[in-house]
Amino acid sequence: MELYLIRHGETDYNKERKIQGSCDIPLNEYGRELARETAEGLKDIPFDVIFTSPLCRARETAEWIARGRQIPVYEDKRLQEICFGEYEGLCCGRKGYNIPDGGAFFDTFFFDTENYQTPPGGESFEDVISRTGAFLTELLQKKEYQDKTVLLSTHGCALKAILANIYHTPVAEFWGEGVHKNCAVTHLSVKGTEFQMIEEGKIYYTPRK
């Protein structure tokens, strides 16, 4: 199996540093531009099937890549972004920060993941690793996909959780080199249960300065 992972394009919440999580926020115009350019960059990759988070920002990103091809696109909730519960819609940027926790959310979520405190009604890192891991295990067990080229359209934290399952990354090291850019693409080659990283976080567009 050739396995590709993509983070969705930009949304207004990304731009405004608002917490998205399970909020169903659409791509903005720049996000659509990124998806179009990424689709062009991937046009020669012979995808056989696409699995996507049902959240519209990931679904639309997947649809841009599938456009003009006869590729089935399937939704799976296990590819959704981590849920932040009561904190969704609040600002986590240094300017405009309005999460009622004295700044602990931002610092622990990105820089001290071992001590991250799950917001009321939200998910933990372990929760997201567990459900994305269940999806990945199921995908790898399906014989019809073992020699196929598969794309997963997902989100920043969910994508890292998939990689955490593959590399058995401890929560303390969850982010590694950091969250992937919008529409960044990661390619792995899979033989049985063995994974080879071909390329991680590749972008097919020139980022705005």
Side-chain angles (χ1 to χ4, degrees), residues 114-175:
E114 264 189 316
N115 295 309
Y116 175 66
Q117 298 296 309
T118 305
E123 290 182 290
S124 66
F125 284 107
E126 290 83 0
D127 292 331
V128 184
I129 291 170
S130 176
R131 62 172 165 82
T132 55
F135 170 87
L136 185 64
T137 298
E138 184 179 301
L139 175 66
L140 297 179
Q141 289 175 345
K142 291 186 175 180
K143 293 182 179 180
E144 63 266 37
Y145 297 132
Q146 289 181 4
D147 61 349
K148 302 298 184 182
T149 301
V150 178
L151 175 68
L152 309 183
S153 183
T154 184
H155 308 262
C157 183
L159 192 155
K160 281 289 188 175
I162 294 169
L163 294 179
N165 279 287
I166 292 171
Y167 293 108
H168 308 290
T169 309
V171 169
E173 301 169 17
F174 183 85
W175 290 111

Side-chain angles (χ1 to χ4, degrees), residues 88-101:
E88 294 191 354
L90 300 180
C91 180
C92 65
R94 294 300 187 188
K95 293 183 179 179
Y97 192 97
N98 62 355
I99 300 170
D101 68 347

Side-chain angles (χ1 to χ4, degrees), residues 26-160:
L27 300 179
N28 58 24
E29 282 308 308
Y30 182 56
R32 294 186 182 99
E33 179 183 327
L34 300 186
R36 285 194 297 268
E37 291 185 27
T38 303
E40 177 66 20
L42 296 173
K43 66 181 181 181
D44 294 328
I45 306 299
F47 294 115
D48 295 293
V49 61
I50 298 175
F51 293 92
T52 180
S53 157
L55 298 178
C56 63
R57 58 192 184 271
R59 174 82 196 203
E60 186 177 355
T61 301
E63 288 171 347
W64 275 106
I65 296 168
R67 188 164 296 194
R69 312 191 200 201
Q70 298 299 314
I71 310 173
V73 178
Y74 301 115
E75 293 183 1
D76 196 300
K77 288 185 177 181
R78 291 172 294 182
L79 296 176
Q80 280 192 187
E81 184 58 301
I82 188 172
C83 176
F84 294 107
E86 294 180 8
Y87 288 179
E88 294 191 354
L90 300 180
C91 180
C92 65
R94 294 300 187 188
K95 293 183 179 179
Y97 192 97
N98 62 355
I99 300 170
D101 68 347
F105 169 85
F106 184 93
D107 290 334
T108 57
F109 184 72
F110 290 108
F111 306 115
D112 187 16
T113 44
E114 264 189 316
N115 295 309
Y116 175 66
Q117 298 296 309
T118 305
E123 290 182 290
S124 66
F125 284 107
E126 290 83 0
D127 292 331
V128 184
I129 291 170
S130 176
R131 62 172 165 82
T132 55
F135 170 87
L136 185 64
T137 298
E138 184 179 301
L139 175 66
L140 297 179
Q141 289 175 345
K142 291 186 175 180
K143 293 182 179 180
E144 63 266 37
Y145 297 132
Q146 289 181 4
D147 61 349
K148 302 298 184 182
T149 301
V150 178
L151 175 68
L152 309 183
S153 183
T154 184
H155 308 262
C157 183
L159 192 155
K160 281 289 188 175

Side-chain angles (χ1 to χ4, degrees), residues 159-160 163 177-178 180 185-187 197-202:
L159 192 155
K160 281 289 188 175
L163 294 179
E177 297 300 316
H180 290 180
V185 178
T186 292
H187 174 200
M197 177 67 76
I198 307 300
E199 197 159 29
E200 182 173 1
K202 181 177 180 178

Side-chain angles (χ1 to χ4, degrees), residues 194-205:
E194 298 296 318
F195 292 83
Q196 180 186 359
M197 177 67 76
I198 307 300
E199 197 159 29
E200 182 173 1
K202 181 177 180 178
I203 59 172
Y204 292 85
Y205 57 89

